[in-house]
Amino acid sequence: MKDTYLNFVNSPFGARLAHSIGLPKPEVLRRYRADQPEFDGLVAIGAGREPHLLDALAGVIARSGFTSVAHESAGLWIPLAARHALMTGRFEPADAGPHGRLAALIFDASGIEDSSQLDSLFAFFHDTLRSLGKCGRIVVLGRPPEACASPRQWTAQRALEGLTRSLGKEARRGITANLVYVAQGAEDEAEATLRFFLSPRSAYVSGQAVRIGAHGHADPDATAGAGAVAASGTTTLNWSQPLAGKRAVVTGAARGIGAAIANALAAEGAHVIGIDIPSAREALETTIRPLAGTALAFDIAAPETPAQIAAALDELGVDIVVHNAGITKDKTIARMTEAAWHSVIDINLSAQERLDEALLAAGTLRDGGRIVCVSSISGIAGNLGQTNYAASKAGVIGRVQSMAAQLAARRITINAVAPGFIETQMTAKIPLAIREAGRRMNSMSQGGQPADVAQTIAWLAHPGCAGITGQVVRVCGQSLIGA
Protein backbone atom coordinates (compact mmCIF):
# COMPACT_ATOMS: atom_id res chain seq x y z
CA MET A 1 0.00 0.00 0.00
CA LYS A 2 1.34 3.43 -0.96
CA ASP A 3 1.62 6.43 1.35
CA THR A 4 0.37 9.19 -0.96
CA TYR A 5 1.29 12.01 1.41
CA LEU A 6 4.86 10.72 1.89
CA ASN A 7 5.35 10.47 -1.86
CA PHE A 8 3.88 13.93 -2.49
CA VAL A 9 5.95 15.88 0.05
CA ASN A 10 9.10 14.22 -1.27
CA SER A 11 8.38 15.21 -4.87
CA PRO A 12 10.01 18.45 -6.14
CA PHE A 13 6.74 20.42 -6.12
CA GLY A 14 5.45 18.84 -2.91
CA ALA A 15 8.69 19.51 -1.08
CA ARG A 16 8.57 23.20 -2.01
CA LEU A 17 4.93 23.44 -0.95
CA ALA A 18 5.56 21.65 2.34
CA HIS A 19 8.45 23.98 3.11
CA SER A 20 6.50 27.14 2.21
CA ILE A 21 3.45 26.38 4.37
CA GLY A 22 5.15 24.39 7.11
CA LEU A 23 3.80 20.90 6.40
CA PRO A 24 5.62 18.00 8.07
CA LYS A 25 7.92 16.20 5.63
CA PRO A 26 8.60 12.55 6.52
CA GLU A 27 11.94 11.30 5.25
CA VAL A 28 12.07 8.54 2.64
CA LEU A 29 13.81 5.87 4.69
CA ARG A 30 16.98 4.20 3.48
CA ARG A 31 16.21 0.49 3.56
CA TYR A 32 18.44 -2.47 2.82
CA ARG A 33 19.04 -3.26 -0.84
CA ALA A 34 21.28 -6.07 -2.02
CA ASP A 35 22.72 -3.88 -4.79
CA GLN A 36 23.84 -1.09 -2.44
CA PRO A 37 26.56 -1.00 0.25
CA GLU A 38 25.17 -1.97 3.62
CA PHE A 39 27.80 -0.02 5.58
CA ASP A 40 29.24 3.21 4.27
CA GLY A 41 30.40 6.53 5.64
CA LEU A 42 31.95 8.10 8.69
CA VAL A 43 31.15 7.10 12.28
CA ALA A 44 31.82 9.30 15.32
CA ILE A 45 32.82 7.42 18.47
CA GLY A 46 32.30 8.72 22.00
CA ALA A 47 32.76 7.15 25.43
CA GLY A 48 32.16 7.70 29.10
CA ARG A 49 34.39 6.87 32.01
CA GLU A 50 36.46 3.68 31.62
CA PRO A 51 34.57 2.23 28.61
CA HIS A 52 34.53 -1.57 28.40
CA LEU A 53 33.24 -2.16 24.88
CA LEU A 54 35.49 -0.10 22.62
CA ASP A 55 37.72 -3.03 21.72
CA ALA A 56 34.77 -5.17 20.56
CA LEU A 57 33.36 -2.15 18.75
CA ALA A 58 36.62 -1.55 16.91
CA GLY A 59 36.46 -5.06 15.49
CA VAL A 60 32.89 -4.48 14.26
CA ILE A 61 33.83 -1.18 12.63
CA ALA A 62 36.86 -2.76 10.96
CA ARG A 63 34.87 -5.68 9.53
CA SER A 64 31.90 -3.58 8.42
CA GLY A 65 33.93 -1.09 6.41
CA PHE A 66 33.01 2.15 8.15
CA THR A 67 35.64 4.81 8.77
CA SER A 68 35.68 6.53 12.13
CA VAL A 69 36.57 9.66 14.05
CA ALA A 70 37.02 9.92 17.80
CA HIS A 71 35.23 12.53 19.86
CA GLU A 72 37.36 14.01 22.64
CA SER A 73 35.47 11.82 25.14
CA ALA A 74 36.87 8.67 23.49
CA GLY A 75 40.60 9.12 23.93
CA LEU A 76 41.18 5.36 23.94
CA TRP A 77 39.71 4.97 20.45
CA ILE A 78 42.78 6.18 18.55
CA PRO A 79 45.18 3.43 19.77
CA LEU A 80 42.43 0.80 19.49
CA ALA A 81 41.70 1.85 15.92
CA ALA A 82 45.38 1.59 15.06
CA ARG A 83 45.48 -1.94 16.48
CA HIS A 84 42.55 -2.91 14.22
CA ALA A 85 44.06 -1.11 11.19
CA LEU A 86 41.21 1.40 11.12
CA MET A 87 41.40 4.74 9.36
CA THR A 88 40.54 7.24 12.08
CA GLY A 89 41.12 10.74 13.36
CA ARG A 90 39.75 13.33 15.77
CA PHE A 91 36.18 14.55 15.46
CA GLU A 92 35.70 18.09 14.23
CA PRO A 93 32.30 19.75 13.63
CA ALA A 94 33.12 19.97 9.93
CA ASP A 95 33.66 16.20 9.60
CA ALA A 96 31.73 14.88 6.61
CA GLY A 97 30.51 11.56 5.27
CA PRO A 98 29.54 10.96 1.61
CA HIS A 99 26.84 13.66 1.81
CA GLY A 100 28.63 16.07 4.11
CA ARG A 101 27.31 14.30 7.21
CA LEU A 102 28.13 11.52 9.64
CA ALA A 103 26.56 8.12 9.01
CA ALA A 104 26.39 7.07 12.67
CA LEU A 105 27.06 8.10 16.25
CA ILE A 106 28.16 5.42 18.72
CA PHE A 107 28.70 6.02 22.43
CA ASP A 108 30.17 3.49 24.86
CA ALA A 109 28.54 4.21 28.22
CA SER A 110 29.39 0.82 29.72
CA GLY A 111 31.80 2.25 32.29
CA ILE A 112 29.47 4.92 33.69
CA GLU A 113 28.86 4.11 37.36
CA ASP A 114 27.27 7.29 38.74
CA SER A 115 24.68 9.77 37.52
CA SER A 116 27.23 12.57 37.67
CA GLN A 117 29.18 10.79 34.91
CA LEU A 118 26.26 11.11 32.48
CA ASP A 119 27.68 14.52 31.54
CA SER A 120 29.91 12.82 28.97
CA LEU A 121 26.78 11.80 27.03
CA PHE A 122 25.66 15.40 26.91
CA ALA A 123 29.04 16.56 25.64
CA PHE A 124 29.15 13.93 22.88
CA PHE A 125 25.64 14.31 21.51
CA HIS A 126 25.65 18.10 21.93
CA ASP A 127 28.74 18.25 19.71
CA THR A 128 27.83 15.59 17.13
CA LEU A 129 24.07 15.32 16.64
CA ARG A 130 23.82 18.17 14.15
CA SER A 131 26.47 16.47 12.00
CA LEU A 132 24.43 13.26 11.68
CA GLY A 133 23.00 12.85 8.20
CA LYS A 134 19.57 11.74 6.98
CA CYS A 135 18.70 8.16 7.92
CA GLY A 136 21.73 8.12 10.23
CA ARG A 137 22.13 5.74 13.15
CA ILE A 138 22.60 6.35 16.87
CA VAL A 139 23.73 3.44 19.05
CA VAL A 140 24.38 3.70 22.78
CA LEU A 141 26.17 0.83 24.53
CA GLY A 142 25.76 0.02 28.21
CA ARG A 143 25.64 -2.70 30.84
CA PRO A 144 22.32 -4.32 31.90
CA PRO A 145 21.13 -2.33 34.93
CA GLU A 146 19.93 -5.43 36.78
CA ALA A 147 23.48 -6.84 36.67
CA CYS A 148 25.11 -3.71 38.09
CA ALA A 149 27.14 -3.90 41.29
CA SER A 150 25.63 -0.88 43.03
CA PRO A 151 22.38 1.13 43.09
CA ARG A 152 24.23 4.15 41.70
CA GLN A 153 25.52 2.20 38.72
CA TRP A 154 22.06 0.67 38.12
CA THR A 155 20.56 4.15 38.23
CA ALA A 156 23.05 5.59 35.73
CA GLN A 157 22.73 2.68 33.30
CA ARG A 158 18.92 2.79 33.45
CA ALA A 159 19.08 6.50 32.60
CA LEU A 160 20.45 5.54 29.18
CA GLU A 161 16.99 4.36 28.10
CA GLY A 162 15.39 7.77 28.57
CA LEU A 163 18.27 9.46 26.79
CA THR A 164 18.21 7.09 23.81
CA ARG A 165 14.46 7.23 23.29
CA SER A 166 14.51 11.01 23.50
CA LEU A 167 17.31 11.20 20.94
CA GLY A 168 15.18 9.15 18.56
CA LYS A 169 12.33 11.64 18.89
CA GLU A 170 14.56 14.71 18.61
CA ALA A 171 16.69 13.66 15.65
CA ARG A 172 13.90 13.00 13.09
CA ARG A 173 15.04 12.92 9.39
CA GLY A 174 14.77 9.13 9.32
CA ILE A 175 17.38 8.76 12.08
CA THR A 176 17.09 5.81 14.48
CA ALA A 177 18.40 5.63 18.05
CA ASN A 178 18.79 2.35 19.93
CA LEU A 179 20.41 1.11 23.13
CA VAL A 180 22.34 -2.15 23.42
CA TYR A 181 23.00 -3.48 26.92
CA VAL A 182 25.91 -5.93 26.74
CA ALA A 183 26.43 -8.20 29.74
CA GLN A 184 29.91 -8.75 31.09
CA GLY A 185 31.41 -11.65 29.15
CA ALA A 186 29.10 -11.13 26.15
CA GLU A 187 31.29 -8.61 24.36
CA ASP A 188 32.07 -11.06 21.52
CA GLU A 189 28.35 -11.79 21.01
CA ALA A 190 27.38 -8.20 20.20
CA GLU A 191 28.46 -7.96 16.57
CA ALA A 192 25.29 -9.22 14.87
CA THR A 193 23.20 -6.75 16.87
CA LEU A 194 25.53 -3.82 16.26
CA ARG A 195 25.57 -4.54 12.55
CA PHE A 196 21.77 -4.68 12.48
CA PHE A 197 21.31 -1.37 14.28
CA LEU A 198 23.99 0.34 12.17
CA SER A 199 22.57 -0.89 8.87
CA PRO A 200 19.59 0.03 6.65
CA ARG A 201 17.95 -3.22 7.81
CA SER A 202 16.80 -1.43 10.99
CA ALA A 203 15.20 1.51 9.17
CA TYR A 204 11.92 1.30 11.15
CA VAL A 205 13.33 0.11 14.49
CA SER A 206 14.03 2.95 16.92
CA GLY A 207 13.84 3.67 20.63
CA GLN A 208 14.58 0.06 21.58
CA ALA A 209 16.69 -1.32 24.41
CA VAL A 210 18.10 -4.78 23.65
CA ARG A 211 19.95 -6.97 26.16
CA ILE A 212 22.73 -9.35 25.11
CA GLY A 213 23.52 -12.01 27.67
CA ALA A 214 26.72 -14.00 28.09
CA HIS A 215 25.33 -17.36 27.06
CA GLY A 216 28.47 -18.46 25.26
CA HIS A 217 26.66 -20.72 22.81
CA ALA A 218 27.18 -19.07 19.45
CA ASP A 219 26.25 -21.50 16.70
CA PRO A 220 29.37 -23.33 15.41
CA ASP A 221 27.57 -24.23 12.15
CA ALA A 222 27.59 -20.56 11.16
CA THR A 223 31.34 -20.32 10.69
CA ALA A 224 32.72 -19.09 7.42
CA GLY A 225 35.09 -22.06 7.46
CA ALA A 226 36.30 -24.66 9.90
CA GLY A 227 38.38 -23.01 12.56
CA ALA A 228 37.94 -19.53 11.13
CA VAL A 229 38.97 -17.06 13.82
CA ALA A 230 38.88 -13.29 13.92
CA ALA A 231 41.63 -11.12 15.33
CA SER A 232 39.83 -11.01 18.67
CA GLY A 233 39.82 -14.81 18.88
CA THR A 234 36.10 -15.19 18.22
CA THR A 235 34.55 -17.42 15.59
CA THR A 236 34.05 -15.64 12.28
CA LEU A 237 30.43 -15.71 11.15
CA ASN A 238 29.38 -15.90 7.53
CA TRP A 239 27.91 -12.41 7.22
CA SER A 240 26.79 -12.76 3.61
CA GLN A 241 24.77 -15.99 4.14
CA PRO A 242 24.44 -16.40 7.91
CA LEU A 243 21.52 -18.86 7.62
CA ALA A 244 23.14 -21.13 5.04
CA GLY A 245 22.28 -24.75 5.87
CA LYS A 246 19.43 -23.72 8.19
CA ARG A 247 15.80 -24.77 7.83
CA ALA A 248 13.16 -22.19 8.78
CA VAL A 249 9.41 -22.61 9.29
CA VAL A 250 7.24 -19.52 8.69
CA THR A 251 3.51 -19.68 9.42
CA GLY A 252 1.12 -17.40 7.54
CA ALA A 253 3.68 -17.23 4.73
CA ALA A 254 1.39 -16.83 1.71
CA ARG A 255 1.36 -13.06 1.54
CA GLY A 256 2.04 -9.78 3.32
CA ILE A 257 4.44 -9.83 6.27
CA GLY A 258 4.73 -13.63 6.12
CA ALA A 259 5.86 -13.56 2.51
CA ALA A 260 8.39 -10.83 3.34
CA ILE A 261 9.76 -12.96 6.20
CA ALA A 262 10.12 -15.96 3.89
CA ASN A 263 12.00 -13.84 1.36
CA ALA A 264 14.32 -12.31 3.99
CA LEU A 265 15.25 -15.68 5.51
CA ALA A 266 15.81 -17.24 2.08
CA ALA A 267 18.04 -14.31 1.10
CA GLU A 268 20.15 -15.09 4.18
CA GLY A 269 20.58 -18.66 2.96
CA ALA A 270 17.82 -20.57 4.79
CA HIS A 271 15.63 -23.28 3.28
CA VAL A 272 12.16 -21.88 4.02
CA ILE A 273 9.17 -24.08 4.81
CA GLY A 274 6.13 -21.86 4.38
CA ILE A 275 2.86 -22.82 6.05
CA ASP A 276 -0.59 -21.37 5.39
CA ILE A 277 -4.22 -22.45 5.28
CA PRO A 278 -5.35 -24.75 2.44
CA SER A 279 -7.46 -22.01 0.81
CA ALA A 280 -4.25 -19.94 0.40
CA ARG A 281 -2.31 -22.81 -1.18
CA GLU A 282 -1.93 -21.11 -4.57
CA ALA A 283 -0.66 -17.85 -3.06
CA LEU A 284 1.64 -19.81 -0.76
CA GLU A 285 3.19 -21.72 -3.63
CA THR A 286 3.60 -18.49 -5.59
CA THR A 287 5.58 -17.07 -2.66
CA ILE A 288 7.65 -20.14 -1.82
CA ARG A 289 8.42 -21.60 -5.26
CA PRO A 290 10.87 -18.82 -6.36
CA LEU A 291 12.72 -19.30 -3.06
CA ALA A 292 13.29 -23.01 -3.75
CA GLY A 293 11.52 -23.66 -0.47
CA THR A 294 8.77 -26.03 0.67
CA ALA A 295 5.07 -25.10 0.82
CA LEU A 296 2.82 -26.87 3.36
CA ALA A 297 -0.92 -26.24 3.46
CA PHE A 298 -2.21 -26.68 7.01
CA ASP A 299 -4.83 -25.02 9.18
CA ILE A 300 -2.74 -24.27 12.27
CA ALA A 301 -5.90 -23.95 14.39
CA ALA A 302 -6.88 -27.58 13.82
CA PRO A 303 -6.01 -29.76 16.84
CA GLU A 304 -4.32 -32.44 14.71
CA THR A 305 -2.11 -29.96 12.83
CA PRO A 306 0.92 -29.71 15.20
CA ALA A 307 1.60 -33.44 15.01
CA GLN A 308 1.08 -33.40 11.24
CA ILE A 309 3.54 -30.52 10.80
CA ALA A 310 6.13 -32.25 13.01
CA ALA A 311 5.75 -35.40 10.87
CA ALA A 312 5.95 -33.41 7.61
CA LEU A 313 9.24 -31.84 8.68
CA ASP A 314 10.67 -35.39 8.95
CA GLU A 315 14.03 -36.32 10.37
CA LEU A 316 15.77 -33.24 8.94
CA GLY A 317 14.22 -31.07 11.61
CA VAL A 318 14.25 -27.26 11.66
CA ASP A 319 16.45 -24.56 13.14
CA ILE A 320 14.09 -21.56 13.06
CA VAL A 321 10.37 -21.26 13.77
CA VAL A 322 8.62 -17.97 13.00
CA HIS A 323 5.07 -17.67 14.34
CA ASN A 324 3.56 -15.09 12.01
CA ALA A 325 0.03 -16.41 11.31
CA GLY A 326 -2.68 -14.24 12.80
CA ILE A 327 -6.12 -12.75 12.27
CA THR A 328 -8.21 -9.83 13.49
CA LYS A 329 -11.94 -9.73 14.23
CA ASP A 330 -12.43 -6.27 15.67
CA LYS A 331 -15.41 -5.22 17.77
CA THR A 332 -15.81 -3.65 21.16
CA ILE A 333 -16.11 -6.43 23.70
CA ALA A 334 -19.78 -5.64 24.39
CA ARG A 335 -20.56 -6.29 20.71
CA MET A 336 -18.07 -9.08 20.08
CA THR A 337 -19.32 -12.61 19.53
CA GLU A 338 -17.92 -15.53 21.47
CA ALA A 339 -16.79 -17.08 18.17
CA ALA A 340 -14.82 -13.95 17.25
CA TRP A 341 -13.12 -13.94 20.65
CA HIS A 342 -12.25 -17.63 20.52
CA SER A 343 -10.93 -17.72 16.94
CA VAL A 344 -8.52 -14.80 17.45
CA ILE A 345 -7.14 -16.19 20.72
CA ASP A 346 -6.86 -19.69 19.24
CA ILE A 347 -5.09 -18.76 16.00
CA ASN A 348 -2.92 -15.93 17.30
CA LEU A 349 -1.85 -17.51 20.59
CA SER A 350 -2.98 -21.03 21.44
CA ALA A 351 -1.88 -22.43 18.07
CA GLN A 352 1.65 -21.16 18.75
CA GLU A 353 1.69 -22.98 22.07
CA ARG A 354 0.47 -26.24 20.55
CA LEU A 355 2.92 -26.12 17.61
CA ASP A 356 5.95 -25.35 19.78
CA GLU A 357 5.02 -28.12 22.22
CA ALA A 358 4.83 -30.61 19.35
CA LEU A 359 8.10 -29.53 17.73
CA LEU A 360 9.98 -29.48 21.02
CA ALA A 361 8.61 -32.81 22.21
CA ALA A 362 9.53 -34.51 18.94
CA GLY A 363 12.95 -32.90 18.82
CA THR A 364 12.01 -31.39 15.45
CA LEU A 365 13.26 -27.97 16.55
CA ARG A 366 16.94 -28.65 16.96
CA ASP A 367 19.05 -27.56 19.92
CA GLY A 368 20.53 -24.11 19.36
CA GLY A 369 17.45 -23.09 17.39
CA ARG A 370 15.47 -19.86 17.22
CA ILE A 371 11.79 -19.15 17.89
CA VAL A 372 10.55 -15.73 16.80
CA CYS A 373 6.94 -14.72 17.48
CA VAL A 374 5.02 -11.86 15.91
CA SER A 375 3.26 -9.83 18.59
CA SER A 376 1.93 -6.28 18.06
CA ILE A 377 2.02 -2.80 19.50
CA SER A 378 -1.62 -3.55 20.40
CA GLY A 379 -0.35 -6.19 22.81
CA ILE A 380 1.66 -3.50 24.60
CA ALA A 381 -0.69 -0.49 24.53
CA GLY A 382 -4.09 -2.10 23.89
CA ASN A 383 -6.45 -0.77 21.24
CA LEU A 384 -10.08 0.25 20.94
CA GLY A 385 -12.17 -2.62 19.59
CA GLN A 386 -9.33 -5.12 19.86
CA THR A 387 -9.68 -6.79 23.24
CA ASN A 388 -9.34 -10.21 21.63
CA TYR A 389 -6.41 -9.25 19.40
CA ALA A 390 -4.58 -7.28 22.12
CA ALA A 391 -5.04 -10.12 24.59
CA SER A 392 -3.62 -12.61 22.10
CA LYS A 393 -0.62 -10.43 21.28
CA ALA A 394 0.09 -9.65 24.94
CA GLY A 395 -0.08 -13.39 25.53
CA VAL A 396 2.59 -13.86 22.87
CA ILE A 397 4.83 -11.56 24.88
CA GLY A 398 4.05 -13.64 27.97
CA ARG A 399 5.10 -16.79 26.12
CA VAL A 400 8.41 -15.26 25.16
CA GLN A 401 9.18 -14.03 28.65
CA SER A 402 8.13 -17.24 30.39
CA MET A 403 9.79 -19.73 28.05
CA ALA A 404 13.22 -18.13 27.67
CA ALA A 405 14.75 -19.69 30.77
CA GLN A 406 13.12 -23.06 30.08
CA LEU A 407 14.52 -23.23 26.54
CA ALA A 408 17.99 -22.07 27.53
CA ALA A 409 18.94 -25.61 28.56
CA ARG A 410 18.66 -26.56 24.87
CA ARG A 411 20.37 -23.35 23.72
CA ILE A 412 17.13 -22.27 22.01
CA THR A 413 16.28 -18.59 22.03
CA ILE A 414 12.75 -17.18 21.91
CA ASN A 415 11.94 -13.55 21.14
CA ALA A 416 9.14 -11.47 19.68
CA VAL A 417 8.74 -8.55 17.34
CA ALA A 418 5.91 -6.10 17.94
CA PRO A 419 5.00 -4.28 14.72
CA GLY A 420 3.28 -0.92 14.77
CA PHE A 421 1.50 0.45 11.71
CA ILE A 422 2.75 -1.61 8.75
CA GLU A 423 1.56 -0.99 5.18
CA THR A 424 -0.33 -4.22 4.36
CA GLN A 425 -3.63 -5.31 2.87
CA MET A 426 -4.97 -5.48 6.42
CA THR A 427 -4.14 -1.87 7.30
CA ALA A 428 -5.40 -0.72 3.88
CA LYS A 429 -8.91 -1.59 5.10
CA ILE A 430 -8.67 0.78 8.08
CA PRO A 431 -10.74 3.99 7.71
CA LEU A 432 -8.68 6.83 6.21
CA ALA A 433 -8.55 9.09 9.30
CA ILE A 434 -7.44 6.27 11.58
CA ARG A 435 -4.99 5.03 8.96
CA GLU A 436 -3.37 8.46 8.68
CA ALA A 437 -3.12 8.74 12.47
CA GLY A 438 -1.43 5.34 12.60
CA ARG A 439 1.07 6.40 9.97
CA ARG A 440 2.00 9.75 11.50
CA MET A 441 2.06 8.99 15.24
CA ASN A 442 5.67 7.85 15.37
CA SER A 443 9.12 9.39 15.12
CA MET A 444 9.33 8.55 11.41
CA SER A 445 5.88 10.06 10.64
CA GLN A 446 5.08 7.14 8.33
CA GLY A 447 4.07 3.51 8.27
CA GLY A 448 6.53 0.68 8.08
CA GLN A 449 6.92 -1.92 5.35
CA PRO A 450 6.60 -5.72 5.67
CA ALA A 451 10.34 -5.90 4.93
CA ASP A 452 11.02 -3.94 8.14
CA VAL A 453 9.42 -6.68 10.21
CA ALA A 454 11.11 -9.37 8.13
CA GLN A 455 14.61 -7.92 8.53
CA THR A 456 14.15 -7.68 12.30
CA ILE A 457 13.11 -11.31 12.44
CA ALA A 458 16.10 -12.31 10.30
CA TRP A 459 18.36 -10.54 12.80
CA LEU A 460 16.81 -12.40 15.77
CA ALA A 461 17.19 -15.67 13.83
CA HIS A 462 20.88 -14.94 13.18
CA PRO A 463 23.42 -17.44 14.58
CA GLY A 464 25.23 -14.51 16.19
CA CYS A 465 22.21 -13.64 18.35
CA ALA A 466 22.54 -16.54 20.80
CA GLY A 467 22.72 -14.04 23.68
CA ILE A 468 19.33 -12.45 22.93
CA THR A 469 16.33 -14.25 24.41
CA GLY A 470 13.09 -13.44 26.19
CA GLN A 471 12.88 -10.01 24.57
CA VAL A 472 10.33 -8.00 22.62
CA VAL A 473 11.55 -5.63 19.90
CA ARG A 474 9.10 -3.07 18.55
CA VAL A 475 9.12 -2.42 14.79
CA CYS A 476 7.07 0.73 14.92
CA GLY A 477 9.22 3.72 13.94
CA GLN A 478 9.24 4.58 17.69
CA SER A 479 5.48 4.79 18.00
CA LEU A 480 4.11 7.47 20.31
CA ILE A 481 1.62 4.87 21.55
CA GLY A 482 2.75 2.28 24.06
CA ALA A 483 6.21 3.83 24.43
Side-chain angles (χ1 to χ4, degrees):
M1 183 172 59
K2 292 184 178 180
D3 185 338
T4 305
Y5 178 80
L6 173 70
N7 294 335
F8 173 72
V9 296
N10 281 284
S11 68
F13 171 73
R16 290 194 299 272
L17 180 63
H19 178 74
S20 64
I21 63 177
L23 291 174
K25 184 178 177 293
E27 192 66 42
V28 175
L29 301 183
R30 178 176 175 245
R31 291 183 165 90
Y32 171 74
R33 286 180 49 177
D35 62 345
Q36 293 183 351
E38 188 167 358
F39 304 102
D40 187 26
L42 192 63
V43 178
I45 308 295
R49 174 185 176 273
E50 296 183 13
H52 304 145
L53 301 172
L54 286 182
D55 195 24
L57 178 60
V60 175
I61 297 298
R63 288 184 288 275
S64 64
F66 281 119
T67 53
S68 68
V69 289
H71 183 259
E72 62 183 5
S73 63
L76 293 175
W77 182 256
I78 300 285
L80 278 175
R83 188 192 313 165
H84 288 267
L86 280 171
M87 294 290 292
T88 196
R90 297 284 183 181
F91 170 78
E92 300 292 343
D95 279 324
H99 304 292
R101 296 286 184 173
L102 296 171
L105 308 177
I106 307 175
F107 190 93
D108 182 355
S110 60
I112 291 178
E113 296 182 347
D114 187 274
S115 58
S116 64
Q117 297 167 7
L118 295 170
D119 289 353
S120 57
L121 286 151
F122 167 79
F124 176 72
F125 288 109
H126 177 269
D127 292 349
T128 61
L129 189 58
R130 282 170 289 188
S131 297
L132 185 59
K134 294 178 181 179
C135 299
R137 298 289 182 262
I138 298 170
V139 177
V140 178
L141 303 171
R143 293 297 198 191
E146 59 275 11
C148 289
S150 71
R152 282 183 174 271
Q153 185 184 14
W154 183 319
T155 299
Q157 290 295 316
R158 182 60 178 80
L160 301 178
E161 293 192 34
L163 170 94
T164 305
R165 291 190 171 117
S166 296
L167 286 170
K169 292 178 179 179
E170 286 186 9
R172 300 287 181 168
R173 295 181 298 132
I175 293 168
T176 66
N178 292 286
L179 170 62
V180 181
Y181 283 127
V182 182
Q184 188 170 355
E187 292 81 2
D188 291 337
E189 297 186 46
E191 182 160 1
T193 297
L194 289 174
R195 291 171 77 101
F196 174 70
F197 282 131
L198 289 170
S199 80
R201 298 176 190 268
S202 59
Y204 204 63
V205 181
S206 189
Q208 302 305 288
V210 171
R211 286 163 166 75
I212 301 176
H215 292 271
H217 55 263
D219 188 344
D221 294 335
T223 57
V229 175
S232 63
T234 59
T235 302
T236 303
L237 294 171
N238 178 356
W239 296 110
S240 62
Q241 290 273 282
L243 301 182
K246 305 295 184 184
R247 286 163 55 86
V249 168
V250 180
T251 67
R255 55 178 62 88
I257 291 174
I261 295 167
N263 276 273
L265 296 179
E268 301 266 284
H271 177 89
V272 176
I273 300 113
I275 298 175
D276 218 310
I277 55 178
S279 61
R281 184 192 300 270
E282 184 177 346
L284 177 63
E285 291 180 348
T286 299
T287 295
I288 300 299
R289 191 182 303 113
L291 307 179
T294 303
L296 299 177
F298 285 109
D299 177 1
I300 64 167
E304 67 276 8
T305 293
Q308 291 175 343
I309 291 176
L313 296 175
D314 59 46
E315 69 280 357
L316 293 177
V318 294
D319 307 281
I320 300 160
V321 177
V322 180
H323 292 291
N324 168 71
I327 62 170
T328 58
K329 291 191 176 181
D330 296 351
K331 289 283 186 182
T332 59
I333 198 165
R335 297 184 177 185
M336 186 180 297
T337 65
E338 183 178 353
W341 171 274
H342 175 76
S343 62
V344 170
I345 296 292
D346 192 46
I347 292 171
N348 294 5
L349 179 58
S350 301
Q352 290 189 19
E353 295 176 305
R354 294 191 296 265
L355 181 56
D356 280 349
E357 287 169 0
L359 297 180
L360 290 166
T364 307
L365 177 59
R366 292 196 279 249
D367 290 358
R370 304 281 185 268
I371 300 174
V372 187
C373 308
V374 178
S375 179
S376 169
I377 196 76
S378 293
I380 297 171
N383 206 5
L384 175 66
Q386 287 195 320
T387 50
N388 52 0
Y389 184 76
S392 71
K393 294 303 185 178
V396 167
I397 294 172
R399 288 194 69 231
V400 165
Q401 294 171 337
S402 64
M403 291 182 65
Q406 174 186 333
L407 294 172
R410 292 181 53 179
R411 298 179 293 109
I412 295 171
T413 67
I414 181 168
N415 296 286
V417 297
F421 186 95
I422 305 297
E423 303 281 2
T424 64
Q425 291 179 340
M426 183 183 296
T427 53
K429 298 175 182 177
I430 297 173
L432 177 61
I434 299 174
R435 187 165 70 239
E436 281 301 302
R439 282 173 170 155
R440 309 306 163 204
M441 292 180 66
N442 59 75
S443 294
M444 304 296 171
S445 297
Q446 61 192 278
Q449 297 295 325
D452 297 322
V453 181
Q455 290 293 346
T456 306
I457 288 172
W459 156 58
L460 291 170
H462 195 287
C465 289
I468 302 174
T469 193
Q471 298 185 50
V472 180
V473 179
R474 288 166 44 200
V475 186
C476 62
Q478 198 177 16
S479 174
L480 305 184
I481 300 172

